[in-house]
Amino acid sequence: MAVLALDIGATKFAAGRVDSAGRVDRVSRVPVPHTGAWDVCRALLSEVADGDRVTAVGIGSAGPVDVPAGVTCALNIPEWRSGFEIVDAVRELFPAAETRFAIDGACLALAEHRWGALRGTADALAMTVSSGIGGGILAGGRVLMGRTGNAGHIGHIVVPGWDVRCACGGAGCVEAIASGMSSVRWARAQGWTGETGAQLAEAAAAGQPIALAALERAGTALGQAVSSAAALLDIDHVVIGGGFACSGEPLWGPLRASVARHAGLSFLRLLRVAPSELAEGATLAGAGILAVER
């Protein structure tokens, strides 16, 4: 018998086997395809199942989602934007499996609370800053899901100063300004010739002016969003992971300065914003916990 976890991410799908403690191993990853997303997911899950009877599957998906309906509307997958019934599709593939579904930010918060920087913390925000920006909220030691399962969707907090169009259809969302993909687009518009967030971070570390400006812009916007969320939620701990969050001081320096500027209320004076302690795969790890625990 097998328990599986599935991560529907911004640029990749990942799946793995889950042990009784919720830890994930035997992980396989594939890039998100231009078309045929479910066919790729199905093949990935079948590969990881390896012919064993599957008893449970935990799914973490990029959003938006409709958890009660079992539907993902992941913005990064054009054929799914109007809605794909991911839970029904997984149940058809594994009829004997109990299938549990959450937005990727909720899975991230589960993983950080169990194994990461939020161990022992009751009220906090877990964020991922990578190709996109997502988050999950801990309140009273539990992950908040919200009416449709989209609670914690911090990537679409609107920050002042940049009227940039977002893939969600709005403007000024922090994801449209501070994600890795958005920062690369901005830097290229200024004349930078690289292609990835990792290359942008390397250029900033080397002192390249456009790259430094891009990371300062991203860090400032992230600090605004974090300060707003902390005031709304009455939290004093924010942990940020994801590939682009590993860009070092050129990103974190402006982020901390922005938080210091905007988090001025008395109950925010002890606000801590720290890097994640989890390596790549935190969403998949959270989906593993989801698979074995309600």
Side-chain angles (χ1 to χ4, degrees):
M1 294 189 294
V3 175
L4 307 184
L6 172 66
D7 173 16
I8 298 168
T11 59
K12 69 180 183 307
F13 297 144
R17 306 266 293 215
V18 185
D19 67 18
S20 59
R23 294 192 179 276
V24 183
D25 61 10
R26 295 170 61 177
V27 176
S28 292
R29 297 180 176 88
V30 294
V32 173
H34 296 295
T35 59
W38 170 241
D39 291 337
V40 171
C41 271
R42 179 172 54 201
L44 183 65
L45 286 165
S46 297
E47 173 193 338
V48 173
D50 194 24
D52 289 340
R53 180 175 178 268
V54 176
T55 59
V57 182
I59 307 167
S61 176
V65 297
D66 184 339
V67 168
V71 170
T72 176
C73 304
L75 293 177
N76 58 300
I77 305 175
E79 63 189 306
W80 288 3
R81 285 180 186 171
S82 60
F84 177 72
E85 295 176 343
I86 183 67
V87 170
D88 284 350
V90 171
R91 285 173 176 162
E92 184 177 348
L93 181 61
F94 303 121
E98 183 169 358
T99 303
R100 298 171 185 155
F101 174 48
I103 197 168
D104 52 4
C107 292
L108 173 66
L110 279 172
E112 290 286 359
H113 192 237
R114 174 65 60 85
W115 294 305
L118 298 181
R119 293 186 301 275
T121 302
D123 304 286
L125 173 67
M127 291 178 61
T128 180
V129 179
S130 189
S131 300
I133 294 176
I137 301 166
L138 282 170
R142 298 178 65 86
V143 177
L144 293 185
M145 299 300 290
R147 176 178 57 87
T148 62
N150 287 288
H153 220 134
I154 190 173
H156 299 281
I157 280 185
V158 176
V159 293
W162 296 283
D163 190 25
V164 181
R165 299 300 300 179
C166 180
C168 74
C173 299
V174 67
E175 180 170 293
I177 300 152
S179 71
M181 292 176 65
S182 298
S183 296
V184 166
R185 281 195 296 270
W186 183 86
R188 287 179 62 84
Q190 313 310 308
W192 183 67
T193 57
E195 295 184 353
T196 69
Q199 290 171 348
L200 190 64
E202 291 172 3
Q208 207 281 332
I210 293 176
L212 283 169
L215 292 189
E216 181 175 9
R217 177 177 182 269
T220 299
L222 285 169
Q224 291 173 326
V226 164
S227 300
S228 296
L232 177 67
L233 299 171
D234 189 14
I235 57 174
D236 65 359
H237 199 167
V238 177
V239 60
I240 305 178
F244 197 56
C246 298
S247 296
E249 193 60 21
L251 178 73
W252 280 87
L255 193 163
R256 293 190 189 100
S258 183
V259 168
R261 179 183 180 190
H262 294 288
L265 293 166
S266 60
F267 65 90
L268 297 178
R269 287 176 186 158
L270 298 179
L271 177 62
R272 294 166 291 162
V273 184
S276 171
E277 296 177 2
L278 299 179
E280 182 184 9
T283 298
L284 188 64
I289 298 169
L290 198 67
V292 298
E293 298 181 9
R294 286 194 180 279

